[in-house]
Amino acid sequence: MVDASLGEIMTTCEKITWLLSEGEKWLKPEYRSSGRSMIHKKAKVEFHPLGVVGAIVSWNYPFHNIFNPMLAAVFSGNGIVIKVSENASWSGCFYFRIIQAALAAVGAPENLVDVITGFAETGEALVSSVDKIIFVGSPGVGRMIMRNASKTLTPVTLELGGKDAFIVCDDVDVPHVAQIAVRAALQSSGQNCAGAERFYVHRDIYALFVSQVAKIVKSVSAGPPLAGKYDMGALCLLEHSEKLQNLVNDALDKGAEILARGSFGHLSEGAVDQYFPPTVIVNVNHTMKLMQEEAFGPIMPIMKFNTDEEVVKLANDSRYGLGCAVFSGSQHRAREIAAQIQCGVAAINDFASNYMCQSLPFGGVKDSGFGRFAGVEGLRACCLVKSVVEDRWWPYIKTKIPKPIQYPVAENGFEFQESLVEALYGLNIWDRLRALVNVLKVLTEQNTPVSSRRND
């Protein structure tokens, strides 16, 4: 074993990363095999159904969270059992009736898809009963599911939320981006795994941007949609408003300032705790929990930056890595920034549009999980991937073990193998030709009858 310093290890890792990036084109499917030493073979990759996929999904997008894993599982040939959140049981059962009607309409088996309700013990039973598990939820529960799945080595795909960065460069149309920013923070009352939770704005336009955002947020009202015209609805979980207020209080204690807040509608006494006013907070930094923990609520913490290099470091200073949105008057600049951010989903001059492109894979890195939904990658994730090799011109040309290395191995077996490797992979043409001559010589000797060799 060779001792190496941390610096040496990091340097080696950087070199490997560079080599991988330079050699990326050779990873394309058409370059997976040179075919040089396997000209008599043909190879392919087959994708077979796993069997039954289990999905445990969250409550924030109950329709999409059911249909997304269902389509991937069914279209790749599997059945699926979906456990919906206990906080979205009614809607889950409603959507299941739609699914049953669709299956009946195309003549598919009625038990191809099943939707179940329940609490933690139901989810645990599902994990131990399926051939693959898909989970959408929090990192804490995701780790529990991985532990349970490890008992049966059941493969998992995890989508565990995010703390997405929303980056605004100094060359943007500020009023235009401000509207998108507010939407990114307040959509679904902020209960959006791909929602923007950290806003980084270039110092040259910071004052203009926050004034535009504050003006918009002050005009937003929250309330029950059946009781009047409101811009934003309730929080799903009763206790969540308290968590959001704790995050705000921690930021205020560390020097942050509330710049603007929206208003409440006419709420009944029992509903007050399920609403949280849309809030803009400035003077934030990364020592605050609000910039590190997933809020999942209608809060916009805004922080200024000086250079593109600085904002990349800020965006990567998070244990989450689901997505990002980068805005710039130069698409090249925006792409350069987005390419350096550690996440699975990036939007250039837009917000979360990736999620609307079902041909694209969706998922994250770090505490945001691993594996992908949608796209070719999402379909293949629900498959057994099998590599198959067969003779190209069978039965006319078959694989045959050369005599020198047939059992029992001949005395010149090592010489033959060494020459064969040199003939195939030698550094120059002369070494290869010399080795090839030796291969033929060994084979000729091996095929010569014993009596003839004795006479010689």
Side-chain angles (χ1 to χ4, degrees), residues 327-347:
F327 291 79
S328 170
S330 164
Q331 280 193 295
H332 174 75
R333 180 184 181 187
R335 283 196 295 264
E336 286 288 307
I337 294 172
Q340 299 175 69
I341 296 176
Q342 299 159 359
C343 64
V345 178

Side-chain angles (χ1 to χ4, degrees), residues 397-414:
I397 298 179
K398 303 177 184 178
T399 297
K400 185 176 181 181
I401 307 298
K403 281 190 176 181
I405 56 175
Q406 289 181 4
Y407 292 115
V409 178
E411 290 184 2
N412 57 359
F414 180 81

Side-chain angles (χ1 to χ4, degrees), residues 83-405:
K83 181 205 169 294
V84 296
S85 168
E86 58 271 23
N87 298 299
S89 296
W90 181 89
S91 60
C93 293
F94 174 76
Y95 298 137
F96 184 43
R97 291 199 293 272
I98 299 175
I99 295 168
Q100 287 178 312
L103 292 173
V106 299
E110 63 178 11
N111 60 352
L112 185 64
V113 178
D114 201 359
V115 174
I116 59 176
T117 61
F119 295 91
E121 60 273 13
T122 306
E124 291 175 8
L126 182 62
V127 171
S128 63
S129 308
V130 294
D131 301 294
K132 178 186 174 68
I133 195 74
I134 296 172
F135 174 71
V136 181
S138 68
V141 179
R143 290 186 178 94
M144 291 172 56
I145 285 179
M146 280 193 68
R147 282 196 294 270
N148 290 336
S150 69
K151 297 173 184 177
T152 52
L153 294 180
T154 301
V156 298
T157 292
L158 301 178
E159 197 274 273
L160 306 177
K163 193 74 182 171
D164 289 9
F166 190 104
I167 297 170
V168 185
C169 296
D170 55 329
D171 53 358
V172 302
D173 178 351
V174 173
H176 169 75
V177 178
Q179 280 286 351
I180 298 175
V182 174
R183 166 64 65 179
L186 305 189
Q187 181 172 303
S188 298
S189 300
Q191 300 166 121
N192 183 3
C193 59
E197 294 215 359
R198 295 177 292 150
F199 293 82
Y200 301 104
V201 181
H202 195 279
R203 67 178 303 114
D204 290 348
I205 60 165
Y206 179 83
L208 176 60
F209 181 85
V210 296
S211 67
Q212 292 276 335
V213 164
K215 181 181 178 181
I216 298 170
V217 169
K218 286 178 181 178
S219 69
V220 174
S221 61
L226 298 180
K229 182 182 180 298
Y230 296 104
D231 305 296
M232 197 180 78
L235 301 174
C236 180
L237 305 182
L238 186 63
E239 68 277 7
H240 193 54
S241 60
E242 183 179 352
K243 176 193 172 182
L244 294 177
Q245 191 58 52
N246 288 337
L247 291 176
V248 171
N249 292 342
D250 175 75
L252 295 177
D253 291 342
K254 294 175 180 176
E257 175 188 350
I258 294 178
L259 183 68
R261 272 193 150 168
S263 60
F264 284 135
H266 299 289
L267 305 178
S268 63
E269 185 176 344
V272 171
D273 290 340
Q274 284 197 252
Y275 289 85
F276 194 86
T279 304
V280 179
I281 299 183
V282 294
N283 298 331
V284 295
N285 59 62
H286 282 208
T287 67
M288 301 170 184
K289 294 179 181 179
L290 183 59
M291 296 296 282
Q292 295 294 336
E293 298 180 12
E294 185 177 34
F296 225 57
I299 305 175
M300 292 186 67
I302 307 177
M303 185 174 176
K304 67 179 68 171
F305 70 90
N306 297 306
T307 65
D308 293 357
E309 293 75 18
E310 179 189 9
V311 79
V312 168
K313 290 181 180 178
L314 289 170
N316 288 333
D317 182 25
S318 173
R319 61 191 180 97
Y320 291 99
L322 183 55
C324 72
V326 184
F327 291 79
S328 170
S330 164
Q331 280 193 295
H332 174 75
R333 180 184 181 187
R335 283 196 295 264
E336 286 288 307
I337 294 172
Q340 299 175 69
I341 296 176
Q342 299 159 359
C343 64
V345 178
I348 306 299
N349 288 319
D350 203 349
F351 156 68
S353 53
N354 317 64
Y355 207 60
M356 303 303 294
C357 301
Q358 289 299 293
S359 60
L360 292 177
F362 181 85
V365 296
K366 300 193 282 189
D367 272 16
S368 289
F370 53 82
R372 294 294 181 265
F373 300 97
V376 173
E377 293 80 2
L379 289 173
R380 290 179 175 176
C382 293
C383 293
L384 165 64
V385 182
K386 183 180 293 185
S387 301
V388 180
V389 178
E390 59 183 306
D391 289 311
R392 188 181 299 276
W393 298 294
W394 189 90
Y396 307 105
I397 298 179
K398 303 177 184 178
T399 297
K400 185 176 181 181
I401 307 298
K403 281 190 176 181
I405 56 175

